[in-house]
Amino acid sequence: MEHLIELRDVYKIYQMGDEAVHALDGISLTVDPGEFVAIVGQSGSGKSTAMNIIGCLDVPTSGTYHLAGVDVSTMDDDQQAEIRNKMLGFIFQQYNLIPKLNVLENVELPLLYGGVSASERHRRAMEALERVGLADKCKNLPSQLSGGQQQRVSIARALAGKPSVILADEPTGALDSRTGREVLGFLQKLNAEGDTVVLITHDNSIAVKARRIVRLQDGRIIYDGDAHDPRAVVQPEDEAAAGEAREVLNV
Ligand SMILES: Nc1ncnc2c1ncn2[C@@H]1O[C@H](COP(=O)(O)OP(=O)(O)OP(=O)(O)O)[C@@H](O)[C@H]1O
Ligand SMILES: [Mg+2]
């Protein structure tokens, strides 16, 4: 079977004066349709670098990346932009909603760039807003919504493009823990309905809500497997964290 995401031996190396920083140090990873994967790791471990490559916002220094069978690792900026618009839905910590546009217009915006007709834009945007339970707020401005609702609008905006993959980089980072859990619940619901989700978080209690965890350390994958294995959330030698992890996991 063809993988949806396939990274093979991916390096991202930044030359900083005399020093070569290996932000990604040889990563191989596959994600299949319908998966819910959390990428975790400490600050500086390479999560955002990995997300930028998976999200076609950046290319590897070496190695290959195939998205739905297409080699995207050597594409230029325009080709990457087209792939992003067609195949990827982004959710960020900052919702990046445009304050002057209402909720509906915000959700329609990427479709406008994608050349979708006005009536189809409206239909798809309303459908996406219904999925996140915000159809009744479609005429509100972002400032007239709570933080959690704003994040749900940004989820709707990602969904309206009918992406093959939803990429979320610390989507709950700006929210209090209850609202964060709510937004996470939405991602779980979308996954249950068939969407593929790749989530970045440094928060173990969030990560365990995914089905699979990929743990990065110093640009390498040190764990890839079941989210409910204690090894998913701790480094093997870290005993204090292991206790905490067992608590989070209830094991
Ligand atoms: N543009 C860049 N130039 C030089 N070094 C960079 C650049 N971007 C990232 N790095 C380095 O690559 C490593 C990985 O960074 P990355 O942003 O992927 O970490 P992260 O896991 O997302 O961290 P955080 O949890 O703090 O967001 C870090 O050591 C960082 O300093
Ligand atoms: Mg980061």
Side-chain angles (χ1 to χ4, degrees):
M1 188 180 105
E2 186 182 272
H3 300 292
L4 184 51
I5 288 171
E6 182 165 13
L7 301 172
R8 282 276 160 251
D9 219 21
V10 165
Y11 287 78
K12 184 73 189 181
I13 301 169
Y14 294 106
Q15 200 61 43
M16 303 299 287
D18 289 343
E19 200 197 350
V21 177
H22 288 229
L24 293 179
D25 198 25
I27 284 195
S28 296
L29 174 70
T30 59
V31 177
D32 289 328
E35 282 203 274
F36 188 169
V37 183
I39 297 179
V40 302
Q42 290 174 352
S43 180
S45 58
K47 302 183 298 295
S48 292
T49 306
M51 184 62 101
N52 287 344
I53 288 175
I54 293 170
C56 296
L57 294 158
D58 204 351
V59 290
T61 307
S62 67
T64 59
Y65 172 27
H66 288 82
L67 179 59
V70 178
D71 185 357
V72 289
S73 39
T74 54
M75 284 190 169
D76 66 27
D77 290 354
D78 286 349
Q79 291 170 313
Q80 285 194 320
E82 197 184 327
I83 291 279
R84 283 200 301 275
N85 203 295
K86 270 201 189 133
M87 298 198 57
L88 302 169
F90 292 92
I91 301 166
F92 300 101
Q93 177 171 351
Q94 302 305 331
Y95 324 122
N96 297 338
L97 300 177
I98 297 181
K100 282 187 183 157
L101 298 182
N102 69 31
V103 162
L104 179 63
E105 291 161 340
N106 264 286
V107 175
E108 282 185 351
L109 198 59
L111 300 174
L112 181 68
Y113 294 138
V116 178
S117 73
S119 59
E120 178 70 6
R121 284 202 300 274
H122 186 268
R123 196 187 64 73
R124 275 161 64 171
M126 285 309 296
E127 191 183 296
L129 283 167
E130 260 154 41
R131 276 186 86 187
V132 301
L134 284 176
D136 58 329
K137 303 278 187 193
C138 66
K139 298 291 181 204
N140 283 42
L141 293 172
S143 60
Q144 297 165 333
L145 298 177
S146 72
Q149 288 172 334
Q150 290 183 52
Q151 187 57 301
R152 276 151 61 194
V153 174
S154 89
I155 294 174
R157 182 183 53 192
L159 288 174
K162 300 210 177 294
S164 307
V165 187
I166 295 169
L167 296 173
D169 192 350
E170 299 279 5
T172 60
L175 302 171
D176 63 76
S177 57
R178 192 183 61 85
T179 316
R181 278 198 301 278
E182 213 176 274
V183 165
L184 203 74
F186 267 99
L187 292 176
Q188 287 180 300
K189 175 174 107 98
L190 297 178
N191 175 248
E193 290 167 3
D195 282 294
T196 309
V197 181
V198 178
L199 163 78
I200 285 195
T201 182
H202 64 269
D203 183 339
N204 285 330
S205 67
I206 296 278
V208 295
K209 300 286 196 290
R211 290 199 265 165
R212 170 180 163 202
I213 286 182
V214 173
R215 172 167 285 275
L216 295 179
Q217 185 181 310
D218 299 329
R220 298 198 181 124
I221 294 174
I222 58 164
Y223 177 86
D224 181 355
D226 190 345
H228 291 92
D229 185 324
R231 284 175 304 161
V233 287
V234 288
Q235 293 158 33
E237 69 275 14
D238 192 343
E239 264 311 310
E244 198 183 300
R246 280 190 284 272
E247 225 163 84
V248 169
L249 294 165
N250 294 316
V251 293

